[in-house]
Amino acid sequence: MRMILISALVLAGLGTTLYQVKTGIDARQDRLNDLQLTIAATKRDIAVLEAEWAYLSRPERIMSLSSTLLNMEPISYDRILPLDAIPMRVMSDTNSQKPTPIVQLPVPKAPKARAINHTNSQDISEKNTKISVALPSITLKGSHIKAVTAGKDKP
């Protein structure tokens, strides 16, 4: 009799444990199915957004919008320079490890407007005032810079 009672209790415990494991697995399976549906819906949304992006970023649409809304035009061929027009670096004689860059400044254009002189030429000759200014010399990282003043013959 004891043996039957112990067997019944063990079978009831095993049955309860088996039922709990089965319900846990079913809950996890439902969660997995929900996540797979969410992933599929997100992938569809991504595909739709990529198609919309491809439609909106068409080159002919961008060109028409830039010309109508921003008043922009394509770059003309006369503005494109060949590769030879780019100045190359020249190696310095003192230290071959550090290249010395070449700086080519553009030629300054003539001013579009001139300053108006409101004084008479007689007033200028009569005043004849001289101003002297002392300009300091500057030393930066081994380079010595000295200020130069312009005279009558220099601008």
Side-chain angles (χ1 to χ4, degrees):
M1 183 76 160
R2 278 187 183 176
M3 192 60 116
I4 294 174
L5 188 58
I6 292 173
S7 297
L9 286 174
V10 169
L11 284 176
L14 288 175
T16 305
T17 306
L18 180 64
Y19 179 75
Q20 287 177 349
V21 168
K22 180 189 174 299
T23 55
I25 289 174
D26 288 343
R28 288 192 174 117
Q29 189 68 34
D30 290 341
R31 173 108 170 103
L32 179 64
N33 289 336
D34 290 342
L35 288 174
Q36 286 176 342
L37 289 174
T38 304
I39 290 171
T42 305
K43 285 183 179 180
R44 280 193 308 270
D45 291 344
I46 289 173
V48 168
L49 289 174
E50 286 177 348
E52 286 179 2
W53 178 259
Y55 178 74
L56 292 175
S57 63
R58 294 183 327 268
E60 61 273 3
R61 180 179 177 275
I62 300 294
M63 291 295 289
S64 67
L65 287 176
S66 67
S67 64
T68 57
L69 299 176
L70 301 175
N71 297 328
M72 296 176 70
E73 296 177 357
I75 297 173
S76 61
Y77 288 107
D78 61 338
R79 302 234 5 216
I80 300 173
L81 298 175
L83 188 60
D84 298 338
I86 300 171
M88 297 297 181
R89 293 185 177 192
V90 176
M91 303 301 282
S92 63
D93 296 335
T94 58
N95 188 357
S96 61
Q97 298 297 328
K98 295 174 77 177
T100 304
I102 294 178
V103 179
Q104 292 181 350
L105 299 175
V107 177
K109 295 180 181 178
K112 293 182 179 178
R114 292 185 163 199
I116 300 172
N117 189 357
H118 292 287
T119 60
N120 295 333
S121 60
Q122 296 172 354
D123 295 339
I124 294 173
S125 62
E126 291 174 3
K127 291 188 179 177
N128 198 8
T129 305
K130 290 187 179 181
I131 298 174
S132 62
V133 177
L135 299 173
S137 297
I138 302 171
T139 303
L140 297 172
K141 294 183 182 178
S143 318
H144 186 70
I145 301 171
K146 185 176 182 182
V148 179
T149 58
K152 286 186 178 180
D153 56 340
K154 295 181 184 176

